[in-house]
Amino acid sequence: MSGVYTLAPTGERIYEGQSAFGSTPDFDDPDFEVKQPGHSTKKKEGEAPTIFDMLLQRQKEIIRPLESYSLFVGPKGGGKSSLLALLQPAGTVRDTPKPTVALEYVFARRSKNTSTLKDVAHIWELGGGMKGDGVAELVGVPITTARLPTAVLAIVLDLSKPQNVIPACLHWLTMLRNHVQGRLDDLRTSGSSDAASEMEEKARDSFQALWRKKHKKEDHPDRRNVDACAVPLMIVANKWDSIKDENNPLARDRLGLKALCQVLRFLAHQHGASLVFTSSKDKTLNKQFRSLLSFTLFHKLDKAMRTEKSPDKAIYVPRGADTFDELLSAGPVALDGMNRRGRVNDRDVQETLIKALAEFFGEADADAAPKPMEEDPDALETEQARLKEEADEFAEPVVDEAYKIKMDALEKYRQQQLRQEKENALAEKRREKRRREEAKAKAERLAKLEAEQAERRAARKAKREAEQAEALKKAQEEALKGPPKEAEAKSEPPSSREAKRGAREAKRGAKQSKSSS
């Protein structure tokens, strides 16, 4: 017997599905169910699903597409646009792309076998040749805090100018790592420290993924020394075909080529990045680069696990596929002591690497690594001259006077705020000093009180010990004197006691007879 019941407004149970004889339902029946207002009951066999059930099932089956956000940076003329053109359909790209100005956007899509939806990779290219602090600001346009979990960074270098490769690489590595660290700090200050830590932990796991797969789940030997970037990073050495050019120093000096490959592999390994040598004019290298790009942009692992570390061929080293022990003997540059965590960011280490490569290729060009505005006097002077020229060209006396008044008021307000901050800081120091003094005085009072209580406890203990010693001494003396007289009297034999009692009675009888006479 099975059935259901509903609750009437009075609280009475109204049973449904009762038998013809009015028997109550079996509450132990597993098919028995209670209907409650606002809740759907269990569906019976063969009952058609409602539209809400179908929507819920469809929502569960939906596989949301991945959206990644990538930024390609590098020196001017390095071939960023040519490489990104490989993602476009054949016949839609110019042979010679136009120079990139500021930021340019392209996208790539990838179909999924299990869904009609497609993964999308949003890709921005930062134009080369830019100077000043505006470059760092443009880096923050595509790579925001919200996009950081699916972000990808790529540095494109120009092998046709080997003297500029390492300075440019170090410059962009520093800028991108600082930007990523700044976004992670933003996450932590906004209360999402778990998300930032999870990204860093995921980067460390991704660095070891390929190594563990090839070496039976063993940990990477350099896992404690490598400072893996929290965002997937690629270092792309473009124009590999230029080393065949007789005018290129790489074609003439094989030792210099080994040194360049060694240092690039070292930098890529230290930052947990993938390193690939490619050329937009070589179909085989194009295919290899497209494969790496596809895996990196869509956050996948290359299961083929192919690597190429010979400087005579186009290098292809995915992240985590190198070791410091192998790099120390991979070229003529002495890397001893530089493989410790954080050492690669030291200015001295960077200058050492630049000087080591300068011995083979000469000094780098002046624009190989753009300096910040405050460190570049020429750029600062040019910017000031440009601003002055614009001010003279569009001069408005009334507006300039009002602007001057407002700026003076703003400066006064700033000075006032600075004074107020200093006064508040001084007052806070005084309050902190007073709190420390009060805490010190309280601690001294508590220490003094505890000392007095300890003395009183010691005095009471000494008094109790003295009384116990005195009582023990008296007991020992009494024990040495022997038993008391009463005890002796009680210890006399019975015969003597009876004789004394008879004598007392005889004396008492004599007195009575004498008094009667």
Side-chain angles (χ1 to χ4, degrees), residues 217-234:
K217 298 184 179 181
E218 291 183 3
D219 288 337
H220 198 287
D222 301 332
R223 64 188 183 278
R224 301 185 186 279
N225 291 325
V226 169
D227 185 15
C229 182
V231 172
L233 180 63
M234 292 188 299

Side-chain angles (χ1 to χ4, degrees), residues 266-321:
F266 170 76
L267 292 176
H269 186 60
Q270 180 67 61
H271 290 274
S274 299
L275 175 65
V276 58
F277 282 29
T278 188
S279 172
S280 58
K281 299 179 181 179
D282 190 309
K283 292 183 178 180
T284 304
L285 296 181
N286 285 347
K287 184 178 179 181
Q288 177 178 275
F289 175 71
R290 283 172 60 91
S291 175
L292 173 63
L293 200 59
S294 176
F295 285 117
T296 307
L297 291 181
F298 297 104
H299 296 259
K300 301 295 182 181
L301 178 65
D302 186 1
K303 297 181 181 179
M305 298 184 294
R306 59 186 179 277
T307 58
E308 181 58 63
K309 300 178 182 179
S310 173
D312 297 327
K313 300 179 182 180
I315 287 181
Y316 181 84
V317 184
R319 57 182 172 181

